[in-house]
Amino acid sequence: MLYLHVHPSDSRDLRFWPTSPASFRQSIDAYSSETKSLALCLFEFMAKAVGAKPESLLDLFEEQPRGLRMAYYPPCRQADKVMGLSPHSDAGGLTLLLEINNVQGLQIKKDGKWFSIDAPNGALIANIGDTLEILSNGKFRSVEHRAVINPNKERISAALFHYPSENMVISPLPEFVKDGKVKYRSISYLDFMKQIFTQQLDGKNRVEVLKLDQ
Ligand SMILES: O=C(O)CCC(=O)C(=O)O
Ligand SMILES: [Fe+2]
């Protein structure tokens, strides 16, 4: 697994960036800026879809950090006995995931059951993250997902994470709380991230504990 901070550029630690192929950095720059444009369109449409001002989300994500996690999952004959990536939800706002060599492996949990995602070749899969769930006061829900292993084929995926500012306090935005009921406790983004790096991946636990009783 290779995780790179791609934006802002001064957050890059180039010691960990592959030097071969020579075009690597340029390709990542292009990919990151194209996926950013797409993510901003999605933020805009999502806000509009629930009657909120697009700027409410765009202003929070436009110039914020982005990270790219590339994962290589080798095949395993006993694929049903191993797990590629444990169940979790992504912490940031929105993730755009690409199954690079078109081998399927992503599953999402819905109503207690796991479903395989059969995305067309080259499609980007948009995953809502916990931060967007809280900011939108639950209008958009982060999705619990995991990666399973293929018995015969290797699999490579690339997830581009769109994060909010690390100085922000995550709490439901007024634009999304027009019915007056705040459904989540606030948490500083740094505290939220600290939990991620100090706890095991465990489904949607981190966001569930922030839910206020209704
Ligand atoms: O490899 C995959 O399909 C999932 C990757 C993922 O969920 C992640 O990096 O957060
Ligand atoms: Fe994920």
Side-chain angles (χ1 to χ4, degrees):
M1 188 178 279
L2 176 67
Y3 183 87
L4 301 175
H5 294 279
V6 291
H7 185 85
S9 36
D10 62 9
S11 70
R12 295 177 175 188
D13 189 338
L14 294 174
R15 282 175 308 166
F16 300 113
W17 285 57
T19 48
S20 162
S23 56
F24 182 82
R25 208 181 297 177
Q26 207 182 355
S27 304
I28 298 293
D29 279 339
Y31 187 69
S32 163
S33 84
E34 290 294 325
T35 44
K36 174 195 168 186
S37 309
L38 174 61
L40 292 179
C41 283
L42 292 174
F43 281 128
E44 180 183 342
F45 295 152
M46 289 167 85
K48 282 185 182 159
V50 295
K53 290 196 193 101
E55 303 77 50
S56 58
L57 293 180
L58 291 177
D59 291 352
L60 292 183
F61 287 96
E62 187 145 23
E63 272 318 311
Q64 298 310 327
R66 298 194 294 279
L68 177 63
R69 180 151 73 199
M70 284 164 276
Y72 172 78
Y73 304 96
C76 174
R77 288 219 192 94
Q78 296 192 309
D80 54 337
K81 296 204 174 67
V82 293
M83 185 55 64
L85 190 59
S86 301
H88 66 283
S89 50
D90 295 343
L94 194 67
T95 306
L96 293 176
L97 179 79
L98 179 66
E99 297 182 311
I100 291 185
N101 61 340
N102 299 322
V103 175
Q104 195 277 325
L106 180 72
Q107 295 188 333
I108 62 164
K109 199 175 200 181
K110 188 166 187 306
D111 303 328
K113 288 195 197 124
W114 288 104
F115 293 90
S116 295
I117 299 298
D118 192 9
N121 288 354
L124 288 169
I125 300 166
N127 270 341
I128 289 169
D130 297 335
T131 304
L132 186 54
E133 172 165 339
I134 299 167
L135 292 172
S136 72
N137 202 32
K139 297 245 172 1
F140 301 107
R141 296 287 167 93
S142 63
V143 63
E144 184 172 347
H145 56 283
R146 66 183 185 181
V148 296
I149 295 290
N150 189 290
N152 307 309
K153 296 183 202 156
E154 62 182 14
R155 174 170 182 266
I156 304 171
S157 70
L160 203 315
F161 301 103
H162 297 80
Y163 299 110
S165 156
E166 60 182 29
N167 301 318
M168 109 174 253
V169 172
I170 318 171
S171 70
L173 295 169
E175 273 294 299
F176 291 83
V177 196
K178 290 189 180 148
D179 57 5
K181 278 194 206 139
V182 171
K183 296 186 180 157
Y184 298 81
R185 261 188 287 278
S186 306
I187 183 165
S188 87
Y189 181 67
L190 284 183
D191 284 344
F192 195 64
M193 290 311 272
K194 217 181 276 169
Q195 291 178 10
I196 292 174
F197 290 112
T198 53
Q199 294 170 3
Q200 284 194 331
L201 294 179
D202 181 18
K204 280 194 58 171
N205 225 4
R206 284 183 318 263
V207 71
E208 291 301 326
V209 298
L210 294 173
K211 275 192 184 160
L212 293 167
D213 295 336
Q214 296 303 307

